[in-house]
Amino acid sequence: MGRLGEFELLVLLSILRQRAAPYANRVRDDLEANADRRVTRGALYRTIDRLCEKGLLEWELEPSETPDRGGHPMRRLLVTAEGLEAVERTRDVLQRFMRGLDPVLGPALEEGLDA
Amino acid sequence: MGRLGEFELLVLLSILRQRAAPYANRVRDDLEANADRRVTRGALYRTIDRLCEKGLLEWELEPSETPDRGGHPMRRLLVTAEGLEAVERTRDVLQRFMRGLDPVLGPALEEGLDA
DNA sequence: GCGTCGGAGTCTACATTGTATTCCACGAAC
DNA sequence: GTTCGTGGAATACAATGTAGACTCCGACGC
């Protein structure tokens, strides 16, 4: 199976964190605020497209509830079962490799972040 | 600062795990055994080169101790302070985003792996 | 000695992923 | 009706990841 790139993983994780409001721009804000990185719209939409093509992500138009501001209906992003699995696999590998490295890396952070 | 790609991170982490024997092929074996992925020599050396160019990694020729088998002296890989910092930053971000996702992702693995 | 095997490392070309830029549409505010 | 903010699309390009064939050299067997 195709691996997840670093950014792809972050995007998927951020979508999962949004729970109630999984929209592209929420993800963007989340990433900019919490991932110490700039995120251009192009980068994000491109990545979303690719994740969709790979079947790891889907979207549906927001049920007209909040056409809020702006013309476009918002897309609600949904991580598929396959996407979830990919995230899990990646996380497990990463954690396996980070395990036992606290002495050399310094301990993991303990702060509580919003969900 | 340049971000770490997925593979770059894994390589750096694996080098750190090798402690006593940080050689390219050890890293390769480690990755193939524990990261559920094929690693060709090309991919690995290419990545090592790039990490060196970015100043995240250095190497020195093995002090002739073990010219073992084969002609080439082995390169001992050393993660620089800057490299360590990059790994830490990446880890912190990742952990921040994974935090609180256990309910949706399933709990992290608990197995004890070699170091 | 000579061939060839296997380990260690290199090179080149290519595929995938990541990023910046620029553009369009629509509604609201003015 | 012009401008601004929000949501999205398309394009082109840069960085990262992968494959495969190639070199070099010591060990082994003959």
Side-chain angles (χ1 to χ4, degrees):
Chain A
M1 262 303 305
R3 324 248 144 244
L4 288 178
E6 186 242 352
F7 190 49
E8 292 179 322
L9 175 60
L10 242 29
V11 168
L12 249 20
L13 285 172
S14 180
I15 292 172
L16 292 173
R17 273 155 59 89
Q18 304 304 320
R19 316 223 182 237
Y23 308 113
N25 282 339
R26 301 284 150 283
V27 168
R28 186 173 177 232
D29 296 342
D30 185 26
L31 256 22
E32 295 221 323
N34 298 316
D36 183 35
R37 127 194 332 255
R38 267 201 75 211
V39 178
T40 55
R41 258 116 39 86
L44 182 56
Y45 284 114
R46 202 89 185 50
T47 299
I48 287 175
D49 288 351
R50 267 196 302 253
L51 289 172
C52 285
E53 280 162 19
K54 292 198 278 188
L56 306 180
L57 187 61
E58 302 176 327
W59 53 272
E60 57 187 22
L61 289 181
E62 186 57 24
S64 76
E65 289 254 38
T66 14
D68 267 323
R69 8 183 83 254
H72 281 265
M74 290 200 292
R75 298 193 301 184
R76 166 175 286 264
L77 303 170
L78 303 167
V79 178
T80 66
E82 202 181 340
L84 218 53
E85 204 187 311
V87 172
E88 280 175 9
R89 262 187 290 114
T90 304
R91 176 197 60 174
D92 288 351
V93 168
L94 248 21
Q95 287 191 340
R96 182 176 312 156
F97 276 82
M98 295 191 298
R99 181 177 301 276
L101 252 39
D102 281 12
V104 44
L105 286 179
L109 41 78
E110 269 318 324
E111 31 160 343
L113 248 290
D114 55 297
Chain B
M1 261 300 305
R3 324 246 146 245
L4 287 178
E6 186 242 353
F7 190 48
E8 291 179 323
L9 175 61
L10 242 29
V11 167
L12 249 20
L13 284 172
S14 180
I15 291 171
L16 292 173
R17 274 155 60 88
Q18 304 305 321
R19 315 222 182 238
Y23 307 114
N25 281 342
R26 295 325 189 71
V27 168
R28 184 173 180 232
D29 294 343
D30 186 28
L31 257 21
E32 295 221 322
N34 297 316
D36 184 30
R37 136 205 311 267
R38 269 200 74 211
V39 178
T40 55
R41 258 116 38 87
L44 183 55
Y45 284 114
R46 209 84 188 50
T47 299
I48 287 174
D49 288 349
R50 266 196 300 250
L51 289 171
C52 286
E53 279 161 20
K54 291 198 279 188
L56 307 179
L57 189 60
E58 302 177 327
W59 52 272
E60 57 187 23
L61 288 181
E62 185 57 23
S64 76
E65 290 252 37
T66 13
D68 268 323
R69 8 183 81 254
H72 280 264
M74 289 199 293
R75 297 194 301 185
R76 165 175 289 262
L77 303 170
L78 303 167
V79 178
T80 66
E82 203 180 340
L84 218 52
E85 205 187 312
V87 172
E88 278 174 11
R89 264 187 289 114
T90 304
R91 177 199 56 175
D92 289 351
V93 168
L94 248 20
Q95 286 190 342
R96 180 176 314 156
F97 277 81
M98 294 192 297
R99 182 177 302 275
L101 254 37
D102 281 13
V104 42
L105 285 178
L109 41 76
E110 270 317 324
E111 32 160 340
L113 249 290
D114 54 297

